[in-house]
Amino acid sequence: MKKSFIYPLLAGFLLSFAAACESDDSDFSNYTLVSSSEDDDDEDASATDTIRIAFDGTNAVVTGDTDGHVRTSGADVVVDDTVSQHGLVLVLSGSTADGSLLVWRSKKYTIVLDGVSITNADGPAINNQCGKSLFIVCGEGTENTLADGTAYAEQTYDQKGTLFSEGQIYFSGAGTLSVAANCKNAIASDDFIAFGDTVATAVNDFAVQTTTSASGSNGVKANDGVFVYGGTLKVSVAADGARGVRSDARVDITGGTIDITTTGDCLIEQVDGVADTTSCACIKSDSLFTMSGGTLTMLSTGDGGKGIRCDEDIRFSGGTLVATTTGSNDISKPKALKSDTGIIVSGGSFTAEVSKSWACDNGTESEDPADHLTVVGTPSKAEIAKKSVVIVY
């Protein structure tokens, strides 16, 4: 496919996908493919504004902004499009070591990463101040990088990571995106984050990589859930007490390839005069964790580290899961998988290993390793011990 045809096709697909959404809320079932001719925002899918922003060192060149939505100050770009009823596609390219993109909008829109590198020393590289869906497309064959600095300038609006969105984020495409976090989260949303999707025409050949330094925080952080349908996601976090994927709601994996590593130790903070300890985890969910497909590999090497730490059930029914923790238990006990309510395995290939403590911990006080998880059906292989669990169907 010639590149000149890519953006119109992407715009058409993304607007048609947006038309299938009945409402912007935390119920992810509204964002699967359904038959609908109306968009909740009444956007005119036949009219799409495509604005190209090319970063060039300390400047940014803007083309296609016929309505005057964009203003620049050096390589800092602000898109103010809160009244338009049209669709919007922002195409980013070029490089800057001192720039940013800030978007104010009331409708869903798309960002196409077309070989762009943005570093912002005092804030997010991309900050989406729109509470509706943000579709991020990694352009085919492109390499894209985003980075923040070690401190953020104070603002009146939220800045929660190198790539931050007030609304949902959907990743798709066939390029790569690398996100470096030196102060806060690498990728963060005050709603949910979806990597790939199940729409038949979607392209899920993207690769997203996040690295969080010792002065940063989590790799991927979402308030209303993290959903992985496809693509490749690689997360590395070095900060004490940090999480590779942090969700205040559920985490669902149905496909894709995910690799998460944490190297930090426990974070000890004083809260009202009482020491509060937070250990690292590759995945932390305040609700359910479910996995029915794909490949998930996790390694936590710091003191008390966890592969998965879940407040509710861990439900594994398919795919390949490997969780390994190698850290000490000086402050906190390392666990490959820790759930407050239950660990249920019913399919796929499941491996959990820990150098100390329990590989699987569902909250029981039993000393029998078989009581620390629930195995459904008849696996072809089942080796259950305190420090190592291998179940294959």
Side-chain angles (χ1 to χ4, degrees):
M1 182 182 293
K2 293 183 179 180
K3 192 174 182 179
S4 60
F5 294 108
I6 292 177
Y7 302 134
L9 287 174
L10 284 171
F13 160 69
L14 291 169
L15 284 172
S16 66
F17 185 73
C21 305
E22 296 178 2
S23 63
D24 278 295
D25 55 30
S26 59
D27 182 2
F28 195 76
S29 64
N30 290 334
Y31 296 87
T32 57
L33 184 62
V34 297
S35 177
S36 173
S37 60
E38 296 184 8
D39 179 56
D40 63 329
D41 294 328
D42 294 325
E43 289 176 322
D44 181 359
S46 65
T48 301
D49 296 328
T50 299
I51 299 175
R52 289 173 170 79
I53 302 170
F55 293 93
D56 184 13
T58 57
N59 296 290
V61 178
V62 179
T63 56
D65 180 27
T66 58
D67 295 321
H69 294 310
V70 184
R71 63 181 185 271
T72 63
S73 175
D76 292 318
V77 180
V78 177
V79 178
D80 192 344
D81 183 24
T82 58
V83 298
S84 173
Q85 298 299 311
H86 292 181
L88 176 65
V89 176
L90 302 178
V91 183
L92 310 184
S93 62
S95 176
T96 178
D98 185 21
S100 63
L101 173 66
L102 172 64
V103 179
W104 299 91
R105 183 169 162 83
S106 58
K107 308 288 184 181
K108 304 177 179 73
Y109 73 100
T110 301
I111 293 178
V112 177
L113 304 176
D114 189 28
V116 67
S117 177
I118 304 173
T119 297
N120 182 12
D122 58 2
I126 295 178
N127 190 336
N128 172 45
Q129 289 294 307
C130 173
K132 300 298 179 69
S133 302
L134 168 59
F135 299 90
I136 295 183
V137 180
C138 301
E140 182 176 359
T142 65
E143 296 180 0
N144 307 277
T145 61
L146 305 174
D148 65 355
T150 56
Y152 286 10
E154 185 175 350
Q155 302 290 352
T156 58
Y157 47 81
D158 285 342
Q159 308 178 98
K160 298 183 179 180
T162 305
L163 169 55
F164 171 67
S165 176
E166 290 285 352
Q168 311 92 359
I169 306 175
Y170 298 85
F171 288 93
S172 65
T176 66
L177 170 61
S178 298
V179 184
N182 298 294
C183 181
K184 299 184 180 182
N185 305 291
I187 300 173
S189 169
D190 275 352
D191 210 290
F192 62 74
I193 300 174
F195 294 92
D197 56 61
T198 58
V199 179
T201 55
V203 179
N204 292 330
D205 293 332
F206 61 87
V208 175
Q209 176 174 329
T210 72
T211 55
T212 303
S213 70
S215 59
S217 186
N218 306 295
V220 176
K221 169 68 171 69
N223 286 5
D224 293 335
V226 176
F227 305 86
V228 183
Y229 290 123
T232 299
L233 175 63
K234 185 174 183 178
V235 179
S236 176
V237 294
D240 290 345
R243 280 70 186 267
V245 172
R246 174 73 172 90
S247 174
D248 293 349
R250 64 190 298 148
V251 174
D252 290 341
I253 300 173
T254 61
T257 301
I258 308 106
D259 190 313
I260 307 174
T261 301
T262 71
T263 57
D265 291 322
C266 294
L267 176 65
I268 303 176
E269 299 176 299
Q270 294 294 323
V271 179
D272 296 329
V274 178
D276 182 66
T277 301
T278 301
S279 59
C280 284
C282 294
I283 295 177
K284 172 63 173 75
S285 169
D286 287 355
S287 179
L288 291 171
F289 170 89
T290 69
M291 183 173 175
S292 60
T295 300
L296 171 61
T297 305
M298 297 168 288
L299 173 63
S300 185
T301 64
D303 182 86
K306 312 291 190 295
I308 298 176
R309 174 66 178 92
C310 192
D311 288 4
E312 297 183 20
D313 284 353
I314 295 173
R315 301 175 184 174
F316 177 78
S317 60
T320 300
L321 180 152
V322 178
T324 306
T325 60
T326 63
S328 63
N329 60 353
D330 294 338
I331 298 175
S332 178
K333 294 181 179 180
K335 308 283 176 64
L337 291 95
K338 173 69 172 74
S339 165
D340 289 347
T341 58
I343 301 172
I344 301 98
V345 180
S346 60
S349 175
F350 177 96
T351 302
E353 295 183 303
V354 62
S355 59
K356 297 184 178 183
S357 189
W358 289 87
C360 294
D361 181 359
N362 60 3
T364 183
E365 297 296 328
S366 171
E367 291 297 317
D368 184 351
D371 292 336
H372 283 250
L373 74 164
T374 301
V375 179
V376 179
T378 306
S380 62
K381 180 179 182 179
E383 299 175 354
I384 301 175
K386 179 177 181 178
K387 295 183 180 181
S388 177
V389 175
V390 179
I391 301 172
V392 180
Y393 284 81

